[in-house]
Each structure stands twice: as C-alpha cells, then as structure tokens.
Amino acid sequence: MGQSMVEHAFADPALLAVQISRRLPLGARMLMGGVLESASAALPSVAALGAVMAGDMLNARRLVGEVLEAGRPSRLAGEIAILLNRTDLVGDTAPARTRARAAWSRGDLEGALQILRDACLNGDGYALLLRSELDLLRTGRRLPLAAGLSLPDRSSTNAKPAPFEGLRVLHVVTNSLPHTQSGYTLRTHRILRALTDAGVRSMALTRTGYPVMVGKVGAAREDSVDGINYRRTLPLFLARTPEQRLLQQVHEALAVVREFRPDIIHTTTDYRNALVGQAVARATGLPWILEARGLMEKTWVASQFSESARAEAKRSQRARLIAAREGELARSADAVVTLSRTMAGEFVARGVEPGAITIIPNGVDAELLERHLSPAEARRSVALDRSDAFVVGAVSALVDYEGFDTLLRAAAEIVHGRCGRPELWEKLVVVLAGDGTAAPGLSSLARSLGISDRVVLPGRVPRRSARDWVQALDAVVVPRRDVEVARFVTPQKPVEALALGRPVIISDLPALRETITAEDGTSCGIVVPPDDHVALAGAIARLHDDPGMTVGLVEAGRCLAAERTWPSLVRRYSDAYARAMTRRDERRTG
C-alpha cells in the first residue's frame, strides 16, 4: 500500500488527492473542496484542486487557465489541467514529466516518451513505466514467460473437452466483490453464481496488487462471497512496470492452475487480462476465451473534455493501438463472448470470425422477478421520505457519459412549469443513488437549476439495498450521452429495472435499444433522443399522466426479463466453452 501511494504521489499528485477525497461522503468532499477553493487569491493551484473536489469544473478550469496562461510555473496546476482533460493548457514551460503526462493523456504515446528523452529522463522511473505500457500495446507482443517459472505439467490438465457440468474454469478479472461494487463486478459475480448452480466449478483471480492498491490494506489473499472464491495476486513487492506486474499475475495464475486444475481460462475486458490469459494458455495448453464487456478506447475517448478533444482522442495513437490490440487478442482467443449484437459487429469488423462469437447479454437474478414492492414500500425500506412524490432516477455510477445532467435539466423543465401537468410540477423528485466523478457537479447543477430540494444524492448504496432503491423509483432513466462507448456497450441497469417491475426511459442509442427489445422486436421501454432534456421531460410527463402506459410497460418488461435470467443465459457459456475446446484441439492437430 505504501509503495502504491508513493507511486501515485509521484506520478499524479492531483489525481491522488481527488481519489482520497472520493472516499469521503459527498457532503464532506464538497465541504473540503470549498475550503480549498476559497484560497484562490493566495494559492490558485490549490483552489483549482478544491474546485475539482467540489465539482465546480468551470471555476477549476478558469483558475488553472489563469495560472498556466500567465506562464507561472506550477506542477500542481499542470497536473490538474491534465486531470480536467485540458492538456492544451500545459505549455512548454511546464516540467518535462508534466508535459509527458499531458502528451500521454491526449493519446500521443511516442510523443510523451520523446519529451522525456529530450529532457535526459529516458532512464527515469516514469519513462520506464510508459515504455512498458507502450510495449504491451505493440502488435504481436506476448508476455515473456519468466526464466525459472515453474510451469504445470500439461499432462496434469484435462486434455479432452468435458461436458458443461463438472467443468472447472479459472476466471481472470480486473476487480471484484466485496471490495468493488460496479456493473463489471456484479456481472462477474452473477455469472459465477449461475455457473456454480449449473455444476461448473469456478475460481476468479484479480489483477496484481488489487485490492491493496485501492486502499484495502488488510485484504486477504482470498475472499469468499456467496460461496464464490476470489483469489488475489498480492506479491510481497509490487513490480515496477505494467508488464512485470502482469507476469506476477501469470505466476499466480499458474499456481492456481496447479491447485485448481481448470479445464479452461476465461478472461474478461480489457487487453491486459487477455494477455495474462493468453500467456497461461500458452504455458499450459489450456483453451482460453475472451469476454469483451466494453471497448476500452471508446470509454477513454468519451472521458475527454470537449467534442474537439474527443475527436482528437479518437484519431490518437492510443485509441488506434488499443483497438488494434484488443482486436488481435480477440482473434487469437479460442472463443469470444460479447454483450450485444452491436459489440459483436464491432469485433467482426476487427477481424474476428462471426462463428467464434457468442452473445450473452446482461441478465438478472431470477429472484428479482418475484420482488413486487410498491414504490411506497421500497421508500420506507431505504428511508426515503418522499411517499407522495413521483420519483425518477437511477442506481448507477455517476460519470459524465451517463448523461444525468440531462435528467436534471429535464426535471427543471418540469418543476418550473414548462412541461407536464401542475400536479407533476409539485410531485417530481430525482434520485441518483451512486457515486463517481460527476457527483459533485450534479449537486452543483441541481443548485444552479433551482431544484436542489428535488434532487436526492444518497451516495453509494449497499449492494443488498440497491434493488430497493430501484423499486423506490416510479421510473428508471438511462439518459446516456451520444458518445461511441454508449452506442456500443450495454449497461445492466435497464434489464434489472424491467425485472423489478419499473418502466424504463432510455436514450435512443443502438446498445441501449437492445437492452429493452425482446426477441420478437417488441420494445419494453420509452426511447428519447440522447442529450435532449426537453424530449426527456416530455417522456416523464407522459408516463406520469398515463397509468395505463406504466402497466403495459411493466408487463412487457417482466416478460423480457424472464427470458434473460442468469440461469437461462449462462447455458450459452457451454457453447462458448465447447467452441474454445474444439478450436484448441484443431490448433493442436492442424
């Protein structure tokens, strides 16, 4: 943990400070940020950091701009500019490491290394880290198996395809419950539980240093959650470079192979996990599959500050290399799993054979279909004192591309009497349960729109009460922005809301439409143009005014969700596993 903190403090002090602040409740975080922000006259760089913590991004950009455009040397101001994706503010007078970080952040990977070489910092620890990151993205690069690494005897692993029941699967994942609660970790856990119920034995291995690197200092080497075992890669000393850390994970994975004797390696997003799976498969002869749950470069592009910055990021070396690398690794896997037809089409465009791809959308626990709490009952359960309100919102990570600012603007349109009936003006409340980088900004926006008394931000909620928070809503809204990542990657929120008997309003984007469309083409939700708060306000008003619409949507939604329970979906993994084993055997004999 200490080593990790030192590395972060050296590489990105601004981000480290913000990450520490994010562990505080939203109110305390904004209070701390406000205190720092008030120091603007004497310490404008510190004030800018405070503005970031408080969610006042406009003021943060103004303060940083004033410092850097005046030519005043400030590493902290440069780092905050990078954090704000305003790398254009980092000028030639900034320290070399800051300029290198700015270049790397906008996707100019070779340029970042050239800056360090020009400053005679080629042997610097940061340069070593960047070179390793870049090497991992090189086409054809494989993880070298370390000298002296003790490999399992291939004859000790199952050489023949086994039936689905009785299989053993090693899952290589980034993070997991109980230390991280996200759509990624919840999907992982639900898949592993459903596989277990179907007779498959599973073990999951997380990335090197996790969860100590996210602040869980006393973490055990293994956690058991609902009977699912999560193994940690926690070496005594954390390797210096990304490649060396992946090799530490390979070493741990091979130890698990010797103990657990899996039949197949199942890796999930992103390319780093795929590299580990590929190396373990190469060392053991086991087949491996890649489950692509996202498109890493599109998520990164979506995080950029402006449309012009996103366009630049999309053309960057970083975006090109990541897309090419993930396409290459998907082609080399014995089988590929994706979440949607949209994502499958993207991987076909990257050269993956259509027959190698299995589509397994986000699913739901069957027990959700049996939960019939009314909004009033659910609100009592979560102590939400809004019994007579018409409540809309979501349980979600609060990040920019989710588009919850559009929801707040739609709410303001209604509350201020510009849309809907007068009774809705009085009754509307927005609940956004979750946390993330956009949380402070959403709180500030609610105040500026004059609706802060109508917006509830309870922060991150416990996993077991998240379903009650969903059922406390009269409608679940998924107003994602029209950015590439939202067009391709399907969230878990809509289908869970449908299972819980809540109508869903979504942005009209390809991946989102798939989440509410039944096999026969029937739509089970309301679709509105993305980034259009007036249209969203109108949809909320229609739903409020027409109880019959709600009844119809709820019935159709539960029918769709019944087709997507994990016990039914998980059987599709048998096809993917069988395909991987067959392809492995074909490669051996080919």
Coordinates of all heavy atoms in Angstrom, one line a residue, residues 85 106 297-316 319 400-401 481-485 531:
N85 N -8.6 17.0 -18.4 CA -8.5 16.8 -19.8 C -8.3 18.1 -20.6 O -8.7 18.2 -21.8 CB -9.8 16.1 -20.4 CG -9.9 14.6 -19.9 OD1 -8.9 13.9 -19.9 ND2 -11.0 14.2 -19.4
R106 N -3.4 12.8 -23.9 CA -4.2 13.0 -25.1 C -3.9 12.0 -26.2 O -4.4 12.1 -27.3 CB -3.9 14.4 -25.6 CG -2.5 14.7 -26.0 CD -2.4 16.2 -26.6 NE -1.0 16.5 -26.7 CZ -0.3 17.3 -25.8 NH1 -0.9 17.7 -24.7 NH2 1.0 17.6 -26.0
E297 N -10.9 1.8 -25.6 CA -10.6 3.1 -26.3 C -11.8 4.0 -26.4 O -11.6 5.2 -26.3 CB -9.9 2.9 -27.6 CG -10.8 2.6 -28.8 CD -11.4 1.2 -28.8 OE1 -11.0 0.4 -27.9 OE2 -12.3 1.0 -29.6
K298 N -13.0 3.4 -26.6 CA -14.2 4.3 -26.7 C -14.5 4.9 -25.3 O -15.0 6.0 -25.2 CB -15.3 3.5 -27.3 CG -15.0 3.0 -28.7 CD -16.2 2.3 -29.3 CE -15.9 1.7 -30.7 NZ -15.4 2.6 -31.7
T299 N -14.3 4.1 -24.3 CA -14.6 4.6 -22.9 C -13.6 5.8 -22.6 O -14.0 6.8 -22.1 CB -14.4 3.5 -21.9 OG1 -15.3 2.5 -22.2 CG2 -14.7 4.1 -20.5
W300 N -12.4 5.6 -23.0 CA -11.4 6.7 -22.8 C -11.7 7.9 -23.6 O -11.7 9.1 -23.1 CB -10.0 6.2 -23.2 CG -9.0 7.3 -23.2 CD1 -8.5 8.1 -22.1 CD2 -8.3 7.8 -24.4 NE1 -7.6 9.0 -22.6 CE2 -7.5 8.9 -23.9 CE3 -8.3 7.5 -25.7 CZ2 -6.7 9.6 -24.8 CZ3 -7.5 8.2 -26.6 CH2 -6.7 9.2 -26.1
V301 N -12.1 7.8 -24.9 CA -12.5 8.9 -25.7 C -13.6 9.6 -25.1 O -13.7 10.9 -25.1 CB -12.8 8.4 -27.2 CG1 -13.5 9.5 -28.0 CG2 -11.5 7.9 -27.9
A302 N -14.6 8.9 -24.6 CA -15.8 9.5 -24.0 C -15.5 10.4 -22.8 O -16.3 11.3 -22.5 CB -16.8 8.5 -23.7
S303 N -14.4 10.2 -22.2 CA -14.0 10.9 -21.0 C -13.4 12.3 -21.3 O -13.2 13.1 -20.3 CB -13.0 10.1 -20.1 OG -11.7 10.1 -20.7
Q304 N -13.2 12.6 -22.5 CA -12.5 13.8 -22.9 C -13.4 15.0 -22.7 O -14.6 14.9 -22.7 CB -12.0 13.8 -24.3 CG -11.0 12.7 -24.6 CD -9.8 12.7 -23.6 OE1 -9.0 13.6 -23.6 NE2 -9.6 11.6 -22.9
F305 N -12.8 16.2 -22.5 CA -13.5 17.4 -22.1 C -14.5 18.0 -23.1 O -15.5 18.4 -22.7 CB -12.4 18.5 -21.7 CG -12.9 19.9 -21.6 CD1 -13.8 20.2 -20.6 CD2 -12.6 20.8 -22.5 CE1 -14.3 21.5 -20.5 CE2 -13.0 22.1 -22.4 CZ -13.9 22.5 -21.4
S306 N -14.1 17.9 -24.3 CA -15.0 18.6 -25.3 C -15.1 17.8 -26.6 O -14.4 16.8 -26.7 CB -14.3 20.0 -25.7 OG -13.1 19.8 -26.3
E307 N -16.0 18.2 -27.5 CA -16.1 17.5 -28.7 C -14.9 17.5 -29.5 O -14.5 16.4 -30.1 CB -17.3 18.1 -29.5 CG -17.7 17.3 -30.7 CD -18.2 15.9 -30.3 OE1 -19.0 15.8 -29.4 OE2 -17.9 14.9 -31.0
S308 N -14.2 18.6 -29.6 CA -12.9 18.6 -30.3 C -11.8 17.8 -29.7 O -11.1 17.1 -30.4 CB -12.4 20.1 -30.4 OG -12.1 20.6 -29.1
A309 N -11.8 17.7 -28.3 CA -10.9 16.8 -27.6 C -11.2 15.4 -27.9 O -10.3 14.5 -28.1 CB -10.9 17.1 -26.2
R310 N -12.5 15.1 -27.9 CA -12.9 13.7 -28.2 C -12.5 13.3 -29.7 O -12.1 12.1 -29.9 CB -14.4 13.5 -28.0 CG -14.8 13.5 -26.5 CD -16.2 13.0 -26.3 NE -17.2 14.1 -26.6 CZ -17.5 15.0 -25.8 NH1 -17.1 15.1 -24.6 NH2 -18.4 16.0 -26.1
A311 N -12.7 14.2 -30.6 CA -12.3 13.9 -32.0 C -10.8 13.7 -32.1 O -10.3 12.8 -32.8 CB -12.7 15.1 -32.9
E312 N -10.0 14.5 -31.4 CA -8.5 14.3 -31.4 C -8.2 13.0 -30.7 O -7.3 12.3 -31.2 CB -7.9 15.5 -30.6 CG -6.4 15.4 -30.6 CD -5.7 16.5 -29.8 OE1 -6.4 17.3 -29.2 OE2 -4.4 16.4 -29.6
A313 N -8.8 12.6 -29.6 CA -8.6 11.4 -28.9 C -8.9 10.2 -29.8 O -8.2 9.2 -29.9 CB -9.4 11.3 -27.6
K314 N -10.0 10.3 -30.6 CA -10.4 9.2 -31.4 C -9.3 8.9 -32.5 O -9.1 7.8 -32.9 CB -11.7 9.5 -32.1 CG -12.3 8.4 -32.9 CD -13.7 8.8 -33.4 CE -14.3 7.7 -34.3 NZ -15.7 8.1 -34.8
R315 N -8.6 10.0 -33.0 CA -7.6 9.8 -34.0 C -6.2 9.5 -33.4 O -5.3 9.3 -34.2 CB -7.5 11.2 -34.8 CG -8.7 11.6 -35.6 CD -8.4 12.8 -36.5 NE -7.9 13.9 -35.7 CZ -8.7 14.9 -35.3 NH1 -10.0 14.8 -35.5 NH2 -8.2 15.9 -34.7
S316 N -6.1 9.5 -32.1 CA -4.8 9.4 -31.5 C -4.2 8.0 -31.6 O -4.8 7.0 -31.9 CB -4.9 9.7 -30.0 OG -5.6 8.7 -29.3
A319 N -5.8 5.5 -29.1 CA -7.0 4.8 -29.5 C -6.8 3.8 -30.6 O -7.3 2.7 -30.5 CB -8.0 5.9 -30.0
D400 N -19.7 11.1 -16.4 CA -20.2 12.1 -17.3 C -21.0 11.5 -18.4 O -22.1 12.0 -18.8 CB -19.0 12.9 -17.9 CG -19.5 13.9 -18.9 OD1 -20.2 14.9 -18.4 OD2 -19.3 13.8 -20.1
Y401 N -20.6 10.4 -19.0 CA -21.3 9.9 -20.2 C -22.6 9.2 -19.9 O -23.4 9.0 -20.8 CB -20.4 8.9 -21.1 CG -20.1 7.6 -20.4 CD1 -21.0 6.6 -20.5 CD2 -18.9 7.3 -19.9 CE1 -20.8 5.3 -19.9 CE2 -18.6 6.1 -19.4 CZ -19.5 5.1 -19.4 OH -19.2 3.8 -18.8
R481 N -25.3 9.8 -22.9 CA -24.9 10.7 -24.0 C -24.7 10.0 -25.3 O -24.4 8.8 -25.3 CB -23.6 11.5 -23.6 CG -23.7 12.3 -22.4 CD -22.5 13.2 -22.3 NE -22.5 14.0 -21.1 CZ -23.2 15.1 -21.0 NH1 -24.1 15.5 -21.9 NH2 -23.2 15.8 -19.9
D482 N -24.8 10.7 -26.4 CA -24.5 10.2 -27.7 C -23.0 10.2 -28.0 O -22.4 11.0 -28.7 CB -25.2 10.9 -28.8 CG -25.1 10.3 -30.2 OD1 -24.6 9.2 -30.2 OD2 -25.5 10.9 -31.2
V483 N -22.3 9.2 -27.3 CA -20.9 9.0 -27.5 C -20.7 7.6 -27.9 O -21.5 6.7 -27.6 CB -20.0 9.4 -26.2 CG1 -20.1 10.9 -25.9 CG2 -20.5 8.6 -25.0
E484 N -19.5 7.3 -28.5 CA -19.4 5.9 -29.0 C -19.5 4.8 -28.0 O -20.1 3.8 -28.3 CB -18.0 5.8 -29.7 CG -18.0 6.4 -31.2 CD -16.8 5.8 -32.0 OE1 -15.7 6.1 -31.6 OE2 -17.1 5.1 -33.0
V485 N -18.9 5.0 -26.8 CA -19.0 4.0 -25.8 C -20.4 3.7 -25.5 O -20.8 2.5 -25.2 CB -18.2 4.4 -24.6 CG1 -18.8 5.6 -23.8 CG2 -18.0 3.2 -23.6
D531 N -29.3 13.4 -25.1 CA -28.9 14.8 -24.9 C -30.0 15.8 -25.2 O -29.7 17.0 -25.4 CB -27.7 15.2 -25.8 CG -26.5 14.2 -25.7 OD1 -26.1 13.9 -24.5 OD2 -26.1 13.7 -26.7

